[in-house]
Structure formats: C-alpha cells, structure tokens
Amino acid sequence: MTAAAAKGGEDAGGLSEGVLGGLVGYRLRRAQLKVFEDFLASFAPLGLKPAQFSALVLIEANPGRSQREIAAALGIQRPNFVAMMDEFERRGLARRHRSQTDRRSHALALTEAGEALLRQGRVIVAAHEARIAAGLSEVERAELLRLLIRLGTPAAD
Amino acid sequence: MTAAAAKGGEDAGGLSEGVLGGLVGYRLRRAQLKVFEDFLASFAPLGLKPAQFSALVLIEANPGRSQREIAAALGIQRPNFVAMMDEFERRGLARRHRSQTDRRSHALALTEAGEALLRQGRVIVAAHEARIAAGLSEVERAELLRLLIRLGTPAAD
DNA sequence: TATTGTTATACTCTATAACTATA
DNA sequence: TATAGTTATAGAGTATAACAATA
C-alpha cells in the first residue's frame, strides 16, 4: 500500500477516495462488478448469465418446486422469472410440469440437456472461483464467505 | 447453523442452495442487495442514491478534476455521468467550471449546499455502516474490507 | 487526429398493477 | 377471498455510436 493510500485512500488514477474506501457497501459493489465481469466472460460459451446459472442450480437442487418458490429464493420478482423459464423451456434446459396437488402452480425440473449444461457449468464456475480468489488463501476465501453470509443471508434476517 | 445447512446449504424457505452457497459471486450479490437496500432507505431523506453519494464524495475529495476522471474512478460511463452532473447543478450541489488549461473539460467542485449535504451524508453513512456490520466485530469488519479490496480493487488489476 | 462533453439510443434489470385459473 | 402464473408496462442502470468544440 502506498503512503497516500494509507492516509485517505487513492485509486488507480491518483484520485483520493475520501470516505468511500472504508465503506463496506462501496467495496461490495466494486468487487461484485469485477467478479460478475469474469463470470459473464466465463459463461459466454454456455450462454448463461449469473441469474440463469443460479436458477438452474436451484431447480436441480430442488426439483418439483414452484416458480414462486425458486424465484423467491433468488430474490427475483415472480413476473420477471416467467421470461427466464420461457427461455429455459425454449432451449430445452428445464420444464414446467403441472403440479398434481395444486393445478395453479408449476413443478419445475431440469431436462437431460439442462443437467448436462449444469455439469459443464460446475466445471467452469470452479475455474471462475479459483480465478477471482487467486489472491486469497483457502482460509481467507472461507473467511470471506463467512463474513458475506453474516452480512447478507436473507435467512439471517 | 442447521444440520441441513451444514450439508448442502439451505435458505429461508427450506430450499437447498446446491453449489451456490459456496460461491463468492453469489454471496457478494446477495450481500450487496441487502446493503444497498439499507443505504437507499437511509439516504431517502437526502434524496441521494449510492452512485450519487459516491460521486459527491469523490468530487469533494478531488476538486477541479474533470467529468471523465470522476466518472472513470467510479466505473461510470462518461455519457451516463452527464445526467448525474445535470441533476447536481439543478439541485445546486455541484458546479461545472471551465478548465483554464483545457477548455474542453469541466473542472468540478461542490457548492456550499453540496458540502452541507455531504456533512449530513457522512453522519448517515456512519449509522448505515454500523447497522449493516452489526453482526461483525471491528476486527471482522476490517478483515472484510481487506478481503473485498483484494477481490475487486480496480487498481489491483 | 485525438479527446471532452454531449446527445441519442438501445438493451438489460427490476418493480408494480391487473388479469386468468385455480384454490 | 386468496394465490400461482402471466401480461403489460414503466423505471432504473448501463452500454455504444456519433457529433461539436477544442486540443
């Protein structure tokens, strides 16, 4: 760290950060932008964005759940999840089955193609994680996850 | 932590998180959403959003810098920063002065009203920080900031 | 030629109201 | 009445191309 950075904080262009550097929210935003940038590039070959990947993971881990349940778990508004499911079905990655107990709701499940894509996704995401956490030891990465969970896990509300 | 959460991860609705729970990018996104939610509510009385607050802080800490420099430091595209500066001038918070050395660029500075608003903002942001980091010790909060900087500081590219 | 601020524009994300079919 | 999925829509946020003034 430079002397200037130690005093008030200074960015790449030589500008002082003022109070920003010490704000968790500001650091979160900058870190997330950078991590998502790497994710987007990593998953471009699979044609998946972060929200789509997380939705597929959640559907696979919780087959038979409704759109409302999956969307809520991801913090996605129900109306906005409709288009995502439409695309999943169009690409043959997931399907909506009529629930046997409540004909209003859709029981979601991955297709074979969806499972296959997720297998590729898990390989890619592992490389992505290793890349973004390259400057951290395994202990530090675990500590970062622990602190982030304490900050933001909806379940901890 | 519940037994289920220890195994594969489980959210508030009882859904398994699958691989998501161990991903830095996913945890960053969820944490940032929650933190920004608190920020937005905290700063509603001042009429400032996170990007606006950070821009005002940066202008105050670096008076005389150009729009391009301030925008670049925040990761904002130059065209998108124009409307933000327009609003700052309309509300009397900041001004664009013609640079004496390069008549193409604008030397930015806060007005008295802008400085006054920022003084209120710094009080509010301190309370906001205390609130979101309530579950963390001071050591943990410092460690979180350190790890986030390692992940995402553009200067560390 | 290159750069600053600007305009226009488009694309994505996100949020809300209202409809339908079921419950 | 209330809920699940859906449609329509509107508002942010973000990205690029192109122009005028200036370097």
Side-chain angles (χ1 to χ4, degrees):
Chain A
M1 192 185 261
T2 66
K7 276 203 306 181
E10 187 171 303
D11 88 338
L15 276 71
S16 166
E17 285 184 321
V19 70
L20 288 187
L23 297 182
V24 171
Y26 179 74
R27 290 300 181 199
L28 275 175
R29 183 175 88 104
R30 299 309 296 257
Q32 202 231 291
L33 280 175
K34 187 169 182 182
V35 168
F36 267 45
E37 192 179 342
D38 185 281
F39 186 103
L40 221 63
S42 305
F43 277 78
L46 297 195
L48 289 181
K49 287 172 223 175
Q52 292 174 312
F53 175 74
S54 58
L56 290 178
V57 168
L58 224 60
I59 293 171
E60 184 191 48
N62 304 274
R65 294 296 191 134
S66 70
Q67 292 188 194
R68 183 194 124 265
E69 288 172 307
I70 299 294
L74 293 172
I76 299 174
Q77 300 296 318
R78 272 70 78 204
N80 296 331
F81 190 56
V82 173
M84 197 185 289
M85 280 305 306
D86 286 348
E87 181 178 338
F88 286 160
E89 288 204 315
R90 185 181 55 75
R91 294 170 61 180
L93 302 177
R95 290 211 191 105
R96 298 185 241 225
H97 303 279
R98 277 280 160 209
S99 165
Q100 308 246 329
T101 58
D102 185 340
R103 292 177 51 205
R104 290 173 303 183
S105 72
H106 293 162
L108 306 183
L110 293 195
T111 62
E112 278 292 332
E115 305 272 6
L117 194 72
L118 253 195
R119 276 192 292 273
Q120 298 182 62
R122 267 187 284 267
V123 176
I124 290 178
V125 89
H128 156 75
E129 279 287 311
R131 211 175 305 119
I132 64 176
L136 274 53
S137 71
E138 191 45 53
V139 172
E140 286 175 323
R141 184 175 167 283
E143 176 73 356
L144 175 60
L145 282 174
R146 187 183 71 86
L147 295 172
L148 289 175
I149 290 171
R150 284 235 227 136
L151 271 191
T153 298
D157 279 349
Chain B
M1 191 185 261
T2 67
K7 276 204 305 182
E10 188 170 303
D11 88 338
L15 276 71
S16 166
E17 286 184 320
V19 70
L20 287 187
L23 298 183
V24 171
Y26 179 74
R27 288 301 181 198
L28 275 175
R29 184 176 88 104
R30 300 308 297 256
Q32 202 230 292
L33 280 175
K34 187 168 182 181
V35 169
F36 267 46
E37 192 179 343
D38 184 281
F39 186 102
L40 220 63
S42 305
F43 276 79
L46 298 195
L48 290 180
K49 287 172 221 173
Q52 293 173 312
F53 175 74
S54 57
L56 290 179
V57 167
L58 225 60
I59 293 171
E60 184 190 47
N62 305 274
R65 293 296 191 134
S66 70
Q67 290 188 195
R68 184 195 124 266
E69 288 174 305
I70 298 295
L74 292 172
I76 300 174
Q77 300 296 318
R78 273 69 78 205
N80 296 331
F81 191 55
V82 173
M84 197 185 288
M85 279 306 306
D86 286 347
E87 181 177 337
F88 286 160
E89 288 204 314
R90 185 181 56 75
R91 294 170 61 180
L93 301 176
R95 290 212 192 105
R96 298 184 242 225
H97 303 279
R98 277 281 161 208
S99 166
Q100 308 245 328
T101 59
D102 185 341
R103 293 176 52 205
R104 289 173 302 183
S105 71
H106 293 163
L108 306 183
L110 292 195
T111 62
E112 278 292 331
E115 305 272 6
L117 194 72
L118 254 195
R119 274 192 292 275
Q120 298 181 61
R122 268 187 284 267
V123 176
I124 291 178
V125 90
H128 157 74
E129 279 287 311
R131 212 174 304 119
I132 65 175
L136 274 53
S137 72
E138 192 46 52
V139 171
E140 286 175 322
R141 184 174 167 282
E143 175 73 357
L144 175 60
L145 282 174
R146 187 183 72 84
L147 295 172
L148 289 175
I149 289 172
R150 283 235 227 137
L151 271 191
T153 299
D157 279 348

